[in-house]
Amino acid sequence: MSTRDTLGALASNLWWAWSPRAQGVFERLAPDVWAASNHSPSAVLLAVTDAELEQAMADADLSSDIDAVAAELATYLSEPKTWCRANAPSLHRGLVAYFSAEFGIHESLPIYSGGLGVLAGDHIKTASDLGIPFVGVSLKYDEGYFQQRVDANGWQQEYFPATRWEHTPVKPTLRDGRQLRLMIPLAGRKVGVDVFEVAVGRSTLYLLDTDVESNTDVDRAICRRLYGGDSKTRIRQETVLGIGGVRLLRALGLEPSVYHLNEGHSAFACVELIRERVGRGDSYQDALHWVRQRTLFTTHTPVAAGHDRFDPSLVTAALGDYQYRLGTAWHDIIGLGRVNPDDHGETFCMTVLALKTAAHCNGVSRLHGQVSREMWVNLWPGSRPEEVPISHITNGIHAETFMHPIMRDLVEERMGASWNQALIDPGRWADLSRRITEDDLRDVRVRLKQALFDFLTARLQRTAFDEDACASQGLRNLATWRTDALTIGFARRFATYKRGDLIFSDFERAVALLASDDRPIQLLIAGKAHPSDDPGKEIIQRVLQATRDSRLAGRVIFVENYDMAVGRALTSGVDVWLNNPRRPREASGTSGEKVPLHGGVNLSILDGWWVEGFRGDNGYAIGDHEAPRDTAEQDRRDLAALYEVLETQLLPDYYAEPGPGRSPAWLAKVRASFSSLSAQFSTRRMLRDYATHYYDPITANQR
């Protein structure tokens, strides 16, 4: 095999997205192309000529690394002794089909918007790592989610560049040498859907696309943008995802033992499964029972606006003749999406549809499970909240993806090459983590903060178009960067309940706190507001005003166009991760779970995952478990608590003798954070829980 063929095989499998050594190979081949393409191996291979490649191979170290990485991937793909084979024997012989409207696997594949997609990406990667038979199903968005620019007035602007698919490893799914094309019923007509695929380690992600020549312009645009368009566009997308996803599986000859719905966007898959069973001779009720036993639904939000709702007329229009295909009345079909089927004024909710068609349901943290049971108790008349059959499995993160290479080198040196195997067992991880000393953590933190500075400088330089640009302001503020200053990060979707500007609510007090010469704070902020969310954009605008206040020069930086690359840089480099949502609206949150891997600590409201993670010695809590119903009162209390923790706990710990970030109190927090949280909130632990509590038992019950 030629060197180009070897590199092509590496680029075609997204396994490289969690292999720093593989990424390093492509970066060294063409550093400028690597940066400009958002770190795409496929773009590098397209840009590098054969002559340039031959010249690069004169570097013995690079040539050796290519061979080593290729061998590592081959070993990974052929490994027979997987966790699943040893620990979930029924599942090993089954198959999980995981439906999600978005997958955040890597920044160069822009089919994600935020946490839901990154969770899905981490899920499929970890299924591959554990050897779980697994396929993902999603949509191929030609323009993805929007790219963000902030204008001179601090107002978010959106633009939608077309994805250069040749810069991704996505390829057509072929059958008999031709691209697989499905015909999907939609609103009484047939819509052509082309199928694409991408290898994710041992797993495969399939993507559906309606941009087919034979389709009408309206239908060709269905998959153009993630979460774009009006209600008609959204229901069409969800019809293609759900109904098209099941038909895709059948076209591939796949009969999954588990159908896992990641949020309600794909719940029409259950309607299609019912149709299949009725077509095979089952009654509607028997078909519904069959589907329920094989379906797992994970709900992700306690916020009402996060649950898709449609006018019933849109549902009947989208499903067309499914009344006859399911052998039941529209009242029953629409009733699957209503809490009260007889309330004709109630909209059709995709979350309700999923809850009614899945016998297995879970929230994504312990608190979220409780909130979900209270939220949906009316679906089980006569039940108390604690009797509602919604459990929980707390989200985690894929450590191999998010751990910075600097930290990974330290962990491999101290804990061994198989360090990631310990992530499945928090107790074993805690034991192994003792090999990393406080001196190790102190020294690596300095290096990680310098790496963050280098990343921000390079990224801001690429987008600093003029004096008034947000990036230009960021560069000016970055000029006074100090690696010894307490550095706090805040990055997430700018929904109002996440309160991205809470720290600035008492602006004069914020200035006094952030601009102190004795105990300086550097605050890094990133995030996007949905294009139709003006209140979220106003929060960004207020943050941008703070970055331009002369008293805060060098202390507050906003990083545009938040994506996975920015997320990795911030969570690895900051000392503290700030999270201050209105409790209990954060279902889980995963950005803060990446910080302990790097010796950082969390400063957070006791919501989502932090309720389970915080134990006093491993981070800081804002406020307590109480959450006043009045939002203004909650904001007032939480702001006071945030300032109080910063002024009386966090800053004294960080700046105590013998110097910034080196005091015994601070290093004890850092060490406790690393040892107690990294494994507990990893996707290896999470997938172990999904496999043992759901995937394996569901599969076993079918035999």
Side-chain angles (χ1 to χ4, degrees), residues 244-318:
V246 172
R247 295 196 176 199
L248 156 69
L249 296 172
R250 299 299 177 259
L252 297 172
L254 300 177
E255 291 279 351
S257 53
V258 181
Y259 297 86
H260 188 169
L261 311 182
N262 187 45
E263 198 51 280
H265 308 116
S266 56
F268 283 137
C270 293
V271 175
E272 175 65 8
L273 290 170
I274 294 171
R275 182 203 64 78
E276 280 190 339
R277 299 302 301 179
V278 170
R280 296 178 186 179
D282 284 1
S283 69
Y284 169 75
Q285 289 298 332
D286 286 346
L288 175 58
H289 175 76
W290 186 95
V291 172
R292 281 176 47 79
Q293 299 313 305
R294 288 159 175 78
T295 304
L296 167 63
F297 170 55
T298 300
T299 179
H300 282 267
T301 178
V303 179
H307 301 276
D308 283 347
R309 295 180 181 275
F310 298 109
D311 187 282
S313 64
L314 289 177
V315 179
T316 56

Side-chain angles (χ1 to χ4, degrees), residues 147-151 155-157 159 463 465 560-561:
Q147 302 295 297
Q148 179 195 56
R149 285 286 181 267
V150 181
D151 65 24
W155 193 253
Q156 173 182 288
Q157 304 289 341
Y159 65 103
T463 54
F465 300 122
E560 283 177 308
N561 214 28

Side-chain angles (χ1 to χ4, degrees), residues 648-660:
T648 67
Q649 299 179 46
L650 201 156
L651 283 165
D653 285 349
Y654 184 84
Y655 281 107
E657 292 297 333

Side-chain angles (χ1 to χ4, degrees), residues 385 549 628 639:
D549 189 292
L639 178 64

